[in-house]
Amino acid sequence: NTLFFPAATETDDGGAMPDGKQWYVAIVHTNCEKKVKSYLEKMGVEVFVPVQTYVRMVGKHKKEMERVVIRSRVFVRCYPDSASRTAVKKVLFVKDFVTYPGTCQDAVIPDQQMKQFKYMLGCSDVQVIVSDNIQMGQRVRVARGYFKGFEGNICELPNKKGTFVGVTMNILGCACVSISLSDLEFLD
């Protein structure tokens, strides 16, 4: 089962903040997410690479490692004009932007969805999974824990056990994190 959060109320401009900037998803070469982040930050572009830290045994020692949650994808917040996006596309290792299916229009992730996704990554002590194969179900609210107050729908992730909390990210699907069914309150 998965908890799926519906898209935030979108503005007419696709979720842009008052400064006019919007979140886009850049497609980058595999294992170059952090390099692209560094290049874009030097250009003054706001960029986000979703990562999580985990502990791994290396020999007899525990080593803290970092895992990129969405491979070959970097979130970029820039102006919607073509010049701003073209400048990002010219950065080494950037291939293009994710587009809406069947169009050439660059997909926009509303700011509220990005805030929820960042919060989920920052608060979760279990692995966050991103899936585009989510099905809607029973309406619920998280009653306890880091995500208390979040509302959404129970859904299923194929080949996964347990209940997951999800935040929609438009074109990319849903980011999910494990949560106990006992921490959910059923609505309606």
Side-chain angles (χ1 to χ4, degrees):
N1 288 338
T2 300
L3 179 65
F4 179 80
F5 291 98
T9 305
E10 295 184 30
T11 60
D12 291 339
D13 58 4
M17 291 302 288
D19 66 1
K21 292 182 180 180
Q22 296 176 323
W23 283 103
Y24 296 93
V25 185
I27 302 168
V28 302
H29 289 266
T30 306
N31 298 322
C32 294
E33 301 89 357
K34 293 178 184 176
K35 288 178 188 175
V36 169
K37 179 183 178 187
S38 176
Y39 295 148
L40 290 171
E41 285 176 337
K42 288 177 185 173
M43 291 172 51
V45 176
E46 186 176 349
V47 61
F48 175 67
V49 175
V51 295
Q52 278 192 298
T53 56
Y54 64 97
V55 176
R56 180 176 173 187
M57 290 299 292
V58 178
K60 294 181 181 180
H61 304 284
K62 290 182 181 181
K63 184 176 179 182
E64 198 169 273
M65 309 280 287
E66 208 171 55
R67 172 184 82 84
V68 175
V69 176
I70 307 174
R71 295 227 173 259
S72 301
R73 300 294 184 266
V74 173
F75 294 87
V76 179
R77 190 165 177 267
C78 62
Y79 292 104
D81 62 80
S82 61
S84 296
R85 294 193 323 270
T86 300
V88 171
K89 289 179 187 180
K90 288 183 178 180
V91 170
L92 188 62
F93 304 122
V94 174
K95 295 179 182 180
D96 206 348
F97 282 110
V98 172
T99 59
Y100 292 112
T103 72
C104 295
Q105 182 182 2
D106 295 337
V108 175
I109 306 294
D111 195 64
Q112 185 61 30
Q113 290 178 8
M114 285 300 299
K115 285 179 185 176
Q116 286 184 332
F117 182 49
K118 287 178 176 183
Y119 180 81
M120 179 183 285
L121 286 169
C123 289
S124 180
D125 49 357
V126 293
Q127 182 178 357
V128 172
I129 300 166
V130 176
S131 172
D132 63 356
N133 193 9
I134 302 294
Q135 300 172 15
M136 302 288 276
Q138 172 68 45
R139 188 102 178 121
V140 295
R141 177 184 302 122
V142 180
R144 305 178 261 297
Y146 289 121
F147 304 108
K148 182 178 178 176
F150 278 33
E151 291 185 14
N153 298 308
I154 294 288
C155 300
E156 288 188 39
L157 277 178
N159 304 321
K160 300 287 180 189
K161 294 183 179 181
T163 303
F164 291 84
V165 175
V167 174
T168 61
M169 293 188 308
N170 284 4
I171 199 77
L172 293 179
C174 184
C176 302
V177 64
S178 179
I179 189 170
S180 171
L181 194 58
S182 63
D183 289 340
L184 299 178
E185 168 185 322
F186 289 86
L187 304 175
D188 301 325

